Amino acid sequence: MSAASRAPLRSNRTNRTAARARRRVRNRAVVAVGAAAAALLVSACGSGGTSGGGGQTGFITGSDGIATAKQGERADAPELSGETVDGGQVDVADYKGKVVVLNVWGSWCPPCRAEAKNFEKVYQDVKDQGVQFVGINTRDTSTGPARAFEKDYGVTYPSLYDPAGRLMLRFEKGTLNPQAVPSTLIIDREGKVAARTLQALSEEKLRKMLAPYLQPEK
């Protein structure tokens, strides 16, 4: 075989080797994101967790498991936007001026199923008071189970679809960041994270968590 005929073979082998290398890099990136999200959600689908993380300590956790931060000591909510479970688009920043109740859930999570109807009931009661509920669906490998969950429990507010937990990683460590499934956060009217709990909520406890933010804060 001549040198000229061997050259295309070497080129093809080089191209295949480069393609395999690019796939390995992409796969490692996906695994890294998934591992980081799993590490963040250490209490996934459990009975709750503790306020944690180093760094900022400007919040306290009450005996009811609800952690709060005073005005002036609250961290900005990160950019939270993207496609929803039902194929729409949501950007939480569009709700600035409203109180946002942010609930992290998965269709596979029994505590999430236990609290779903409580969230929908409270949402219907307060949505005309300048309050918006937004879900973040995580670790569902497709939107089918998440859509079925919303239908089964009558959930009408939107949920961002975040299977790999990338949105969770946008919260600054040491702040009132979500660390479990379920987690619930209150974002105040200025777009700052005011409260958090790492447990499934009864209707009564959800109302208690939300109540301080329904009226202008002093």
Side-chain angles (χ1 to χ4, degrees):
M1 182 180 292
S2 68
S5 63
R6 286 196 300 271
L9 296 178
R10 287 196 299 269
S11 177
N12 289 338
R13 285 197 296 270
T14 300
N15 290 339
R16 287 196 296 270
T17 300
R20 286 195 295 269
R22 288 194 296 270
R23 285 196 296 270
R24 285 196 296 270
V25 169
R26 286 196 298 268
N27 290 340
R28 282 196 295 268
V30 170
V31 170
V33 170
L40 175 66
L41 301 176
V42 291
S43 302
C45 209
S47 60
T50 58
S51 63
Q56 181 174 323
T57 57
F59 58 88
I60 57 173
T61 303
S63 59
D64 56 5
I66 297 173
T68 58
K70 296 179 180 178
Q71 280 187 312
E73 299 178 356
R74 298 171 185 169
D76 290 328
E79 191 269 330
L80 300 168
S81 64
E83 187 172 350
T84 60
V85 165
D86 61 3
Q89 292 286 325
V90 160
D91 186 343
V92 172
D94 290 341
Y95 300 124
K96 191 170 183 179
K98 292 187 174 184
V99 176
V100 175
V101 178
L102 191 70
N103 177 244
V104 181
W105 62 279
S107 68
W108 45 268
C109 169
C112 302
R113 294 194 288 271
E115 70 177 4
K117 288 188 177 180
N118 302 329
F119 274 73
E120 178 62 25
K121 184 174 182 180
V122 175
Y123 172 60
Q124 292 299 329
D125 288 347
V126 302
K127 65 181 182 179
D128 293 331
Q129 301 179 45
V131 180
Q132 176 65 49
F133 280 38
V134 177
I136 296 181
N137 170 258
T138 191
R139 292 174 58 188
D140 274 314
T141 56
S142 70
T143 59
R147 290 196 304 269
F149 178 102
E150 292 185 333
K151 181 179 179 181
D152 289 345
Y153 294 100
V155 176
T156 60
Y157 53 84
S159 284
L160 290 160
Y161 181 55
D162 184 34
R166 288 182 173 88
L167 297 179
M168 306 298 98
L169 298 176
R170 294 181 181 178
F171 287 83
E172 184 180 350
K173 183 179 179 181
T175 64
L176 291 175
N177 57 324
Q179 297 177 2
V181 180
S183 289
T184 300
L185 282 67
I186 304 293
I187 300 174
D188 68 20
R189 298 181 192 277
E190 297 179 355
K192 298 179 180 295
V193 183
R196 177 198 66 188
T197 191
L198 306 176
Q199 59 188 320
L201 292 175
S202 65
E203 180 187 340
E204 178 183 7
K205 187 167 284 189
L206 176 57
R207 291 185 188 278
K208 177 183 177 182
M209 183 179 183
L210 179 59
Y213 311 100
L214 294 180
Q215 302 298 326
E217 295 182 71
K218 298 179 180 179

